[in-house]
Amino acid sequence: MNTTTLSKVVLVTGASSGIGEATARLLVKQGHRVVLGARRTDRLEALADELRSSGGQVAFRSLDVTRLDDVREFVAFAEATYGPADVIVNNAGVMPLSPLNALNVDEWDRMIDVNVRGVLHGIAATLPGMEARGRGHIINISSIGGHAVSPTAAVYCATKYAVRAISDGLRQETDKIRVTVVSPGVVESELADSISDAQARDAMKAFRRVALAPEAIARAIAYAIEQPDDVDVSELIVRPTASPY
Ligand code: NDP
């Protein structure tokens, strides 16, 4: 356990797998007090038990980011457990890709609800407290899909462009709160498991062959957090070296 880092209270949404899980592991190891949120609490419990057994400070709570009340309760739980939120990592996301003409309207709605409303709910639940304290850090996970569009990914990319727009707007509106948007390239995770469309699933197999370990994104997030309060790492794109995308 490295306790030399200033210990912050960090909330991570979507901490039950992939990038969120790797981020939680790294930040706990660095000595931060981390609060995990996701719907699969069995996974969060197992992760929290493991990290506590090596001395980490970590708590978890069931969280559905599509519900504002739930996100507010998650933040209140974190504050009651460890104190005011210094950082929230709005990481929860889904990616059920399909061509627009497949009219998978329910999946479009789910991406908008989780990837856009979820981020906005994270902001709504933490911004007032951060503004009152005059400090805080909101980290939103976009994607290379927030920088370029590809077939079957129109709605997913729209949500990730939105995350960048929201992040940059928030950054310009405040001179006290740090705002970071991290755009990963392809990362090994469970993200593509939710693709129900056969054409999109096959295309993704080739697209996702060259992938980063989620720890690479965790390190980018940790880098943004460890900067002093007057330094805002506003945007990071992290790709596999061997990937052209
Ligand atoms: P995973 O599918 O492994 O993780 C997604 C996480 O989001 C899970 O912990 C899941 O938890 C959580 N989640 C989904 N829906 C909700 C919800 N309604 N409420 C709360 N949590 C939810 O994928 P990644 O780790 O790859 O994805 C993390 C982020 O990174 C996403 O925003 C994704 O768009 C982005 N990203 C990923 C890339 C990649 O190649 N992997 C590339 C670029 C960006 P649970 O199901 O338990 O609720």
Side-chain angles (χ1 to χ4, degrees), residues 35-93:
V35 184
L36 318 171
R39 294 164 305 170
R40 290 171 294 175
T41 47
D42 52 333
R43 294 227 192 168
L44 298 181
E45 185 172 16
L47 178 60
D49 285 350
E50 181 198 322
L51 294 171
R52 278 190 206 119
S53 70
S54 43
Q57 297 191 79
V58 57
F60 71 92
R61 192 184 191 284
S62 165
L63 170 68
D64 182 343
V65 297
T66 66
R67 300 181 50 234
L68 177 58
D69 286 351
D70 223 28
V71 185
R72 286 197 166 125
E73 283 165 24
F74 174 63
V75 174
F77 166 77
E79 300 200 343
T81 308
Y82 290 131
D86 295 305
V87 184
I88 184 166
V89 184
N90 288 310
N91 162 76

Side-chain angles (χ1 to χ4, degrees), residues 14-20 38-40 63-66 91-94 114 141-143 156 160 184-187 189-191 208:
S16 59
S17 64
I19 292 168
R39 294 164 305 170
R40 290 171 294 175
L63 170 68
D64 182 343
V65 297
T66 66
N91 162 76
V94 292
V114 178
I141 307 303
S142 176
S143 168
Y156 178 74
K160 293 302 184 178
V186 177
V187 176
S189 76
E190 298 174 13
L191 193 66
R208 297 185 69 78

Side-chain angles (χ1 to χ4, degrees), residues 16-18 40 43 93-97 107 110 187-198 200-202 204-205 208:
S16 59
S17 64
R40 290 171 294 175
R43 294 227 192 168
V94 292
M95 189 186 71
L97 303 179
E107 293 187 342
R110 192 148 63 86
V187 176
E188 290 161 12
S189 76
E190 298 174 13
L191 193 66
D193 296 356
S194 64
I195 302 175
S196 62
D197 182 88
R201 206 170 43 238
D202 287 350
M204 268 298 109
K205 280 190 188 131
R208 297 185 69 78

Side-chain angles (χ1 to χ4, degrees), residues 174-245:
T174 170
D175 57 5
K176 302 263 184 340
I177 315 302
R178 299 194 292 163
V179 182
T180 299
V181 56
V182 179
S183 294
V186 177
V187 176
E188 290 161 12
S189 76
E190 298 174 13
L191 193 66
D193 296 356
S194 64
I195 302 175
S196 62
D197 182 88
Q199 179 197 341
R201 206 170 43 238
D202 287 350
M204 268 298 109
K205 280 190 188 131
F207 183 78
R208 297 185 69 78
R209 203 163 288 139
V210 179
L212 288 169
E215 290 73 22
I217 309 306
R219 289 194 299 274
I221 292 167
Y223 167 77
I225 292 174
E226 74 195 24
Q227 302 309 307
D229 277 353
D230 62 342
V231 177
D232 181 7
V233 178
S234 48
E235 185 144 20
L236 287 168
I237 306 178
V238 184
R239 297 182 171 92
T241 307
S243 171
Y245 310 119

